[in-house]
Amino acid sequence: MFLRIILFSTLVLICAGVAVAQKPGPEFWRKVGCQPLEPRTNLERLEERYGAVIVKGFTRVESTVSFTNVDAVELRDVASPPSANSVAKGIAIVLNQNQDQNRALIDYDEIDPLLNAIDALSRVDETATRFTNFEAHYRTQGDFEVTVFRQTRSGNAVRISAGLCTPPASLSLDELAKLRAMIKDAKTKLDEIR
C-alpha cells in the first residue's frame, strides 16, 4: 500500500513536470506577428531598448515614388556616452499600401551595398540565364527586398517589400531608379550630420 502511494505520487509529479515544461516562455513569444524575434539591425536594437530615453531624429526625403517614403534616421540614447551601442544611423523605407504602413530599417553601413545591388538589379536581363524567365533579388538585414523579374517579352518589372508580412509592391525600372535616388539623398543627409 505504501509502495503504491509512492509510485502514484511519483507518477503525478512527473506528469505535472512535463505539463509545466510544455508552456512556452516569454522568449518564444513574438511582440507582433510580423516582427522578427530578435532585432537584426542597430536601428532596431536601439529603438527597442528598455529603460532608456531614445531620441529619434529624422528627415523625410521628397518622395518621387507614389507609395514609398524614405527617411534619414538617427537614434541616440541620451543617457549613454556616444558609442556604437548608443547611436545608430540609417534609413527607414516605408511602404504605404491599402491602409497599411510597413517599414524596413536599414543601417548606414548597408546603404552602399543596397545602392550597388539596385544598380546591378537594374542591369539584369534575359542574358543572365539560359532559361526563358528570370528573377534576381536582394534583401537587407531589416527585410527590405528588391526583386527584378521578366514580366513580358518586352520588359522587366520590379517588386519591393518592406518587413516580413508585407505584400510586395510593383514598380517599373524607372520608378526603381527614382527610389534609388531617394535612398542616395537620404544617405547624403546622413553624411551631412557627421
Side-chain angles (χ1 to χ4, degrees):
M1 179 71 169
F2 185 67
L3 185 60
R4 285 186 192 177
I5 293 173
I6 291 175
L7 289 175
F8 181 72
S9 299
T10 305
L11 180 65
V12 168
L13 287 174
I14 290 173
C15 291
V18 170
V20 170
Q22 297 301 315
K23 287 184 176 178
E27 65 272 11
F28 299 114
W29 296 345
R30 288 184 182 244
K31 293 169 273 188
V32 177
C34 292
Q35 289 184 354
L37 291 173
E38 297 293 326
R40 291 179 274 176
T41 65
N42 292 330
L43 289 167
E44 290 173 357
R45 275 185 208 89
L46 198 55
E47 186 178 56
E48 294 178 4
R49 187 175 285 178
Y50 291 104
V53 176
I54 306 297
V55 175
K56 179 180 184 180
F58 60 96
T59 300
R60 177 151 295 162
V61 174
E62 183 180 342
S63 182
T64 56
V65 179
S66 61
F67 51 82
T68 306
N69 294 323
V70 177
D71 296 334
V73 179
E74 178 188 46
L75 296 176
R76 183 179 305 274
D77 182 349
V78 295
S80 300
S83 70
N85 293 330
S86 64
V87 177
K89 294 179 184 177
I91 61 173
I93 298 178
V94 181
L95 298 181
N96 301 309
Q97 293 180 297
N98 303 329
Q99 306 293 337
D100 292 329
Q101 273 196 345
N102 298 296
R103 73 168 186 182
L105 296 175
I106 301 168
D107 286 335
Y108 182 83
D109 59 347
E110 277 194 292
I111 297 173
D112 281 334
L114 174 60
L115 293 172
N116 293 336
I118 290 174
D119 290 340
L121 289 170
S122 297
R123 291 188 301 269
V124 172
D125 60 12
E126 64 275 352
T127 62
T129 181
R130 292 183 183 174
F131 290 99
T132 308
N133 297 308
F134 69 89
E135 177 181 295
H137 74 275
Y138 181 81
R139 178 185 291 243
T140 66
Q141 288 181 3
D143 288 315
F144 178 70
E145 186 171 12
V146 181
T147 305
V148 174
F149 60 98
R150 182 179 182 140
Q151 183 177 25
T152 63
R153 292 180 187 226
S154 62
N156 299 341
V158 180
R159 282 189 310 249
I160 60 172
S161 65
L164 293 174
C165 297
T166 62
S170 297
L171 299 175
S172 67
L173 286 174
D174 291 336
E175 289 174 317
L176 181 61
K178 291 176 183 176
L179 178 61
R180 185 200 184 283
M182 290 167 60
I183 294 169
K184 181 70 174 163
D185 287 347
K187 183 179 185 295
T188 301
K189 292 182 187 308
L190 290 170
D191 291 336
E192 290 172 356
I193 64 169
R194 281 191 162 203

